[in-house]
PDB file of all heavy atoms in Angstrom:
ATOM      1  N   THR B  10      65.803  22.570 153.841  1.00  0.00           N
ATOM      2  CA  THR B  10      64.642  21.887 154.405  1.00  0.00           C
ATOM      3  C   THR B  10      63.623  22.948 154.793  1.00  0.00           C
ATOM      4  O   THR B  10      63.894  24.163 154.765  1.00  0.00           O
ATOM      5  CB  THR B  10      65.014  21.080 155.662  1.00  0.00           C
ATOM      6  OG1 THR B  10      65.534  21.993 156.658  1.00  0.00           O
ATOM      7  CG2 THR B  10      66.105  20.057 155.358  1.00  0.00           C
ATOM      8  N   LEU B  29      49.541  39.899 166.996  1.00  0.00           N
ATOM      9  CA  LEU B  29      48.526  38.960 166.538  1.00  0.00           C
ATOM     10  C   LEU B  29      47.930  38.147 167.717  1.00  0.00           C
ATOM     11  O   LEU B  29      46.716  37.874 167.706  1.00  0.00           O
ATOM     12  CB  LEU B  29      49.099  38.016 165.504  1.00  0.00           C
ATOM     13  CG  LEU B  29      49.461  38.636 164.133  1.00  0.00           C
ATOM     14  CD1 LEU B  29      50.164  37.652 163.260  1.00  0.00           C
ATOM     15  CD2 LEU B  29      48.197  39.164 163.467  1.00  0.00           C
ATOM     16  N   PRO B  70      65.085  32.545 170.348  1.00  0.00           N
ATOM     17  CA  PRO B  70      64.029  33.445 170.814  1.00  0.00           C
ATOM     18  C   PRO B  70      62.638  33.029 170.388  1.00  0.00           C
ATOM     19  O   PRO B  70      61.679  33.224 171.110  1.00  0.00           O
ATOM     20  CB  PRO B  70      64.389  34.811 170.152  1.00  0.00           C
ATOM     21  CG  PRO B  70      65.621  34.618 169.398  1.00  0.00           C
ATOM     22  CD  PRO B  70      66.059  33.204 169.471  1.00  0.00           C
ATOM     23  N   ALA B  87      44.260  37.860 183.941  1.00  0.00           N
ATOM     24  CA  ALA B  87      44.043  37.643 185.374  1.00  0.00           C
ATOM     25  C   ALA B  87      43.952  38.929 186.144  1.00  0.00           C
ATOM     26  O   ALA B  87      43.222  39.035 187.153  1.00  0.00           O
ATOM     27  CB  ALA B  87      45.164  36.734 185.936  1.00  0.00           C
ATOM     28  N   ALA B  93      37.693  35.650 182.678  1.00  0.00           N
ATOM     29  CA  ALA B  93      38.024  35.186 181.347  1.00  0.00           C
ATOM     30  C   ALA B  93      38.938  33.975 181.349  1.00  0.00           C
ATOM     31  O   ALA B  93      38.965  33.228 180.365  1.00  0.00           O
ATOM     32  CB  ALA B  93      38.672  36.264 180.510  1.00  0.00           C
ATOM     33  N   THR B 105      45.901  33.138 187.273  1.00  0.00           N
ATOM     34  CA  THR B 105      47.019  32.866 186.342  1.00  0.00           C
ATOM     35  C   THR B 105      47.277  31.363 186.255  1.00  0.00           C
ATOM     36  O   THR B 105      47.395  30.801 185.157  1.00  0.00           O
ATOM     37  CB  THR B 105      48.298  33.603 186.776  1.00  0.00           C
ATOM     38  OG1 THR B 105      48.042  35.010 186.810  1.00  0.00           O
ATOM     39  CG2 THR B 105      49.441  33.313 185.830  1.00  0.00           C
ATOM     40  N   THR B 131      50.683   2.675 171.005  1.00  0.00           N
ATOM     41  CA  THR B 131      49.720   2.030 171.868  1.00  0.00           C
ATOM     42  C   THR B 131      49.535   0.578 171.429  1.00  0.00           C
ATOM     43  O   THR B 131      49.787   0.246 170.295  1.00  0.00           O
ATOM     44  CB  THR B 131      48.360   2.727 171.881  1.00  0.00           C
ATOM     45  OG1 THR B 131      47.906   2.785 170.535  1.00  0.00           O
ATOM     46  CG2 THR B 131      48.493   4.118 172.434  1.00  0.00           C
TER      47      THR B 131
END
Side-chain angles (χ1 to χ4, degrees):
T10 64
L29 290 174
T105 301
T131 57

